[in-house]
PDB file of all heavy atoms in Angstrom:
ATOM      1  N   PHE A 329      -7.372 -13.663 -11.862  1.00 89.00           N
ATOM      2  CA  PHE A 329      -6.660 -12.753 -10.971  1.00 89.00           C
ATOM      3  C   PHE A 329      -5.572 -13.522 -10.226  1.00 89.00           C
ATOM      4  O   PHE A 329      -5.802 -14.627  -9.724  1.00 89.00           O
ATOM      5  CB  PHE A 329      -7.619 -12.123  -9.954  1.00 89.00           C
ATOM      6  CG  PHE A 329      -8.692 -11.285 -10.589  1.00 89.00           C
ATOM      7  CD1 PHE A 329      -9.965 -11.796 -10.752  1.00 89.00           C
ATOM      8  CD2 PHE A 329      -8.428 -10.007 -11.014  1.00 89.00           C
ATOM      9  CE1 PHE A 329     -10.967 -11.039 -11.331  1.00 89.00           C
ATOM     10  CE2 PHE A 329      -9.424  -9.233 -11.604  1.00 89.00           C
ATOM     11  CZ  PHE A 329     -10.686  -9.752 -11.761  1.00 89.00           C
ATOM     12  N   VAL A 330      -4.389 -12.918 -10.130  1.00 90.00           N
ATOM     13  CA  VAL A 330      -3.257 -13.502  -9.408  1.00 90.00           C
ATOM     14  C   VAL A 330      -2.599 -12.409  -8.573  1.00 90.00           C
ATOM     15  O   VAL A 330      -2.789 -11.218  -8.825  1.00 90.00           O
ATOM     16  CB  VAL A 330      -2.218 -14.129 -10.364  1.00 90.00           C
ATOM     17  CG1 VAL A 330      -2.812 -15.304 -11.124  1.00 90.00           C
ATOM     18  CG2 VAL A 330      -1.691 -13.077 -11.355  1.00 90.00           C
ATOM     19  N   GLU A 331      -1.810 -12.832  -7.586  1.00 89.00           N
ATOM     20  CA  GLU A 331      -1.097 -11.848  -6.776  1.00 89.00           C
ATOM     21  C   GLU A 331      -0.012 -11.159  -7.591  1.00 89.00           C
ATOM     22  O   GLU A 331       0.648 -11.780  -8.430  1.00 89.00           O
ATOM     23  CB  GLU A 331      -0.465 -12.526  -5.559  1.00 89.00           C
ATOM     24  CG  GLU A 331      -1.445 -12.957  -4.506  1.00 89.00           C
ATOM     25  CD  GLU A 331      -0.741 -13.531  -3.272  1.00 89.00           C
ATOM     26  OE1 GLU A 331       0.490 -13.336  -3.151  1.00 89.00           O
ATOM     27  OE2 GLU A 331      -1.412 -14.175  -2.454  1.00 89.00           O
ATOM     28  N   LYS A 332       0.184  -9.889  -7.330  1.00 90.00           N
ATOM     29  CA  LYS A 332       1.263  -9.146  -7.974  1.00 90.00           C
ATOM     30  C   LYS A 332       2.614  -9.688  -7.528  1.00 90.00           C
ATOM     31  O   LYS A 332       2.739 -10.251  -6.438  1.00 90.00           O
ATOM     32  CB  LYS A 332       1.194  -7.669  -7.583  1.00 90.00           C
ATOM     33  CG  LYS A 332       0.061  -6.885  -8.192  1.00 90.00           C
ATOM     34  CD  LYS A 332       0.153  -5.439  -7.730  1.00 90.00           C
ATOM     35  CE  LYS A 332      -0.954  -4.580  -8.314  1.00 90.00           C
ATOM     36  NZ  LYS A 332      -0.876  -3.189  -7.838  1.00 90.00           N
ATOM     37  N   ARG A 333       3.620  -9.492  -8.349  1.00 87.00           N
ATOM     38  CA  ARG A 333       4.980  -9.790  -7.942  1.00 87.00           C
ATOM     39  C   ARG A 333       5.676  -8.546  -7.407  1.00 87.00           C
ATOM     40  O   ARG A 333       6.532  -8.650  -6.528  1.00 87.00           O
ATOM     41  CB  ARG A 333       5.771 -10.371  -9.108  1.00 87.00           C
ATOM     42  CG  ARG A 333       5.432 -11.837  -9.363  1.00 87.00           C
ATOM     43  CD  ARG A 333       6.583 -12.553 -10.019  1.00 87.00           C
ATOM     44  NE  ARG A 333       6.425 -13.978  -9.905  1.00 87.00           N
ATOM     45  CZ  ARG A 333       7.346 -14.866 -10.281  1.00 87.00           C
ATOM     46  NH1 ARG A 333       8.497 -14.449 -10.793  1.00 87.00           N
ATOM     47  NH2 ARG A 333       7.145 -16.139 -10.134  1.00 87.00           N
ATOM     48  N   PHE A 334       5.350  -7.388  -7.945  1.00 84.00           N
ATOM     49  CA  PHE A 334       5.858  -6.125  -7.428  1.00 84.00           C
ATOM     50  C   PHE A 334       4.780  -5.508  -6.571  1.00 84.00           C
ATOM     51  O   PHE A 334       3.663  -5.291  -7.028  1.00 84.00           O
ATOM     52  CB  PHE A 334       6.231  -5.167  -8.554  1.00 84.00           C
ATOM     53  CG  PHE A 334       7.619  -5.365  -9.112  1.00 84.00           C
ATOM     54  CD1 PHE A 334       7.809  -5.603 -10.461  1.00 84.00           C
ATOM     55  CD2 PHE A 334       8.720  -5.308  -8.282  1.00 84.00           C
ATOM     56  CE1 PHE A 334       9.087  -5.776 -10.987  1.00 84.00           C
ATOM     57  CE2 PHE A 334      10.000  -5.484  -8.790  1.00 84.00           C
ATOM     58  CZ  PHE A 334      10.190  -5.714 -10.135  1.00 84.00           C
ATOM     59  N   GLY A 335       5.102  -5.222  -5.315  1.00 82.00           N
ATOM     60  CA  GLY A 335       4.149  -4.553  -4.453  1.00 82.00           C
ATOM     61  C   GLY A 335       3.132  -5.489  -3.844  1.00 82.00           C
ATOM     62  O   GLY A 335       3.323  -6.704  -3.777  1.00 82.00           O
ATOM     63  N   VAL A 336       2.025  -4.904  -3.391  1.00 88.00           N
ATOM     64  CA  VAL A 336       0.978  -5.650  -2.703  1.00 88.00           C
ATOM     65  C   VAL A 336      -0.324  -5.513  -3.471  1.00 88.00           C
ATOM     66  O   VAL A 336      -0.676  -4.430  -3.947  1.00 88.00           O
ATOM     67  CB  VAL A 336       0.789  -5.115  -1.263  1.00 88.00           C
ATOM     68  CG1 VAL A 336      -0.402  -5.783  -0.591  1.00 88.00           C
ATOM     69  CG2 VAL A 336       2.047  -5.355  -0.439  1.00 88.00           C
ATOM     70  N   GLY A 337      -1.045  -6.621  -3.596  1.00 89.00           N
ATOM     71  CA  GLY A 337      -2.326  -6.579  -4.278  1.00 89.00           C
ATOM     72  C   GLY A 337      -2.422  -7.646  -5.345  1.00 89.00           C
ATOM     73  O   GLY A 337      -1.737  -8.674  -5.290  1.00 89.00           O
ATOM     74  N   TRP A 338      -3.281  -7.399  -6.321  1.00 89.00           N
ATOM     75  CA  TRP A 338      -3.574  -8.404  -7.342  1.00 89.00           C
ATOM     76  C   TRP A 338      -3.454  -7.794  -8.733  1.00 89.00           C
ATOM     77  O   TRP A 338      -3.573  -6.581  -8.914  1.00 89.00           O
ATOM     78  CB  TRP A 338      -4.988  -8.964  -7.142  1.00 89.00           C
ATOM     79  CG  TRP A 338      -5.113  -9.753  -5.886  1.00 89.00           C
ATOM     80  CD1 TRP A 338      -4.998 -11.108  -5.731  1.00 89.00           C
ATOM     81  CD2 TRP A 338      -5.369  -9.249  -4.569  1.00 89.00           C
ATOM     82  NE1 TRP A 338      -5.168 -11.464  -4.413  1.00 89.00           N
ATOM     83  CE2 TRP A 338      -5.390 -10.337  -3.680  1.00 89.00           C
ATOM     84  CE3 TRP A 338      -5.571  -7.963  -4.045  1.00 89.00           C
ATOM     85  CZ2 TRP A 338      -5.604 -10.202  -2.317  1.00 89.00           C
ATOM     86  CZ3 TRP A 338      -5.784  -7.822  -2.688  1.00 89.00           C
ATOM     87  CH2 TRP A 338      -5.807  -8.937  -1.837  1.00 89.00           C
ATOM     88  N   THR A 339      -3.218  -8.652  -9.699  1.00 89.00           N
ATOM     89  CA  THR A 339      -3.188  -8.243 -11.094  1.00 89.00           C
ATOM     90  C   THR A 339      -3.936  -9.287 -11.909  1.00 89.00           C
ATOM     91  O   THR A 339      -4.470 -10.247 -11.341  1.00 89.00           O
ATOM     92  CB  THR A 339      -1.742  -8.077 -11.591  1.00 89.00           C
ATOM     93  OG1 THR A 339      -1.746  -7.527 -12.920  1.00 89.00           O
ATOM     94  CG2 THR A 339      -0.997  -9.416 -11.617  1.00 89.00           C
ATOM     95  N   ILE A 340      -4.003  -9.112 -13.221  1.00 89.00           N
ATOM     96  CA  ILE A 340      -4.784 -10.027 -14.049  1.00 89.00           C
ATOM     97  C   ILE A 340      -3.875 -10.854 -14.939  1.00 89.00           C
ATOM     98  O   ILE A 340      -2.729 -10.493 -15.210  1.00 89.00           O
ATOM     99  CB  ILE A 340      -5.799  -9.256 -14.926  1.00 89.00           C
ATOM    100  CG1 ILE A 340      -5.062  -8.262 -15.843  1.00 89.00           C
ATOM    101  CG2 ILE A 340      -6.836  -8.556 -14.083  1.00 89.00           C
ATOM    102  CD1 ILE A 340      -5.958  -7.569 -16.829  1.00 89.00           C
ATOM    103  N   ASN A 341      -4.401 -11.977 -15.355  1.00 91.00           N
ATOM    104  CA  ASN A 341      -3.725 -12.821 -16.337  1.00 91.00           C
ATOM    105  C   ASN A 341      -4.090 -12.289 -17.721  1.00 91.00           C
ATOM    106  O   ASN A 341      -5.182 -12.538 -18.223  1.00 91.00           O
ATOM    107  CB  ASN A 341      -4.175 -14.276 -16.172  1.00 91.00           C
ATOM    108  CG  ASN A 341      -3.530 -15.202 -17.170  1.00 91.00           C
ATOM    109  OD1 ASN A 341      -2.658 -14.820 -17.947  1.00 91.00           O
ATOM    110  ND2 ASN A 341      -3.958 -16.459 -17.178  1.00 91.00           N
ATOM    111  N   VAL A 342      -3.190 -11.528 -18.329  1.00 90.00           N
ATOM    112  CA  VAL A 342      -3.519 -10.850 -19.580  1.00 90.00           C
ATOM    113  C   VAL A 342      -3.689 -11.831 -20.739  1.00 90.00           C
ATOM    114  O   VAL A 342      -4.119 -11.428 -21.831  1.00 90.00           O
ATOM    115  CB  VAL A 342      -2.459  -9.792 -19.937  1.00 90.00           C
ATOM    116  CG1 VAL A 342      -2.439  -8.679 -18.912  1.00 90.00           C
ATOM    117  CG2 VAL A 342      -1.076 -10.413 -20.074  1.00 90.00           C
ATOM    118  N   ALA A 343      -3.365 -13.115 -20.521  1.00 90.00           N
ATOM    119  CA  ALA A 343      -3.585 -14.125 -21.574  1.00 90.00           C
ATOM    120  C   ALA A 343      -5.050 -14.515 -21.672  1.00 90.00           C
ATOM    121  O   ALA A 343      -5.469 -15.131 -22.651  1.00 90.00           O
ATOM    122  CB  ALA A 343      -2.730 -15.367 -21.316  1.00 90.00           C
ATOM    123  N   SER A 344      -5.840 -14.150 -20.666  1.00 87.00           N
ATOM    124  CA  SER A 344      -7.257 -14.480 -20.666  1.00 87.00           C
ATOM    125  C   SER A 344      -8.065 -13.394 -21.388  1.00 87.00           C
ATOM    126  O   SER A 344      -7.934 -12.210 -21.050  1.00 87.00           O
ATOM    127  CB  SER A 344      -7.772 -14.617 -19.224  1.00 87.00           C
ATOM    128  OG  SER A 344      -9.172 -14.701 -19.189  1.00 87.00           O
ATOM    129  N   PRO A 345      -8.900 -13.770 -22.354  1.00 84.00           N
ATOM    130  CA  PRO A 345      -9.746 -12.768 -23.043  1.00 84.00           C
ATOM    131  C   PRO A 345     -10.654 -12.024 -22.067  1.00 84.00           C
ATOM    132  O   PRO A 345     -10.953 -10.840 -22.264  1.00 84.00           O
ATOM    133  CB  PRO A 345     -10.556 -13.611 -24.028  1.00 84.00           C
ATOM    134  CG  PRO A 345      -9.744 -14.848 -24.248  1.00 84.00           C
ATOM    135  CD  PRO A 345      -9.065 -15.114 -22.932  1.00 84.00           C
ATOM    136  N   LEU A 346     -11.084 -12.719 -21.003  1.00 83.00           N
ATOM    137  CA  LEU A 346     -11.962 -12.071 -20.031  1.00 83.00           C
ATOM    138  C   LEU A 346     -11.247 -10.930 -19.308  1.00 83.00           C
ATOM    139  O   LEU A 346     -11.878  -9.961 -18.886  1.00 83.00           O
ATOM    140  CB  LEU A 346     -12.461 -13.112 -19.015  1.00 83.00           C
ATOM    141  CG  LEU A 346     -13.533 -12.654 -18.026  1.00 83.00           C
ATOM    142  CD1 LEU A 346     -14.774 -12.170 -18.765  1.00 83.00           C
ATOM    143  CD2 LEU A 346     -13.885 -13.790 -17.064  1.00 83.00           C
TER     144      LEU A 346
END
Side-chain angles (χ1 to χ4, degrees):
F329 298 101
V330 295
E331 288 184 14
K332 288 181 179 178
R333 282 206 163 186
F334 274 124
V336 174
W338 293 265
T339 187
I340 59 174
N341 179 6
V342 295
S344 169
L346 188 59

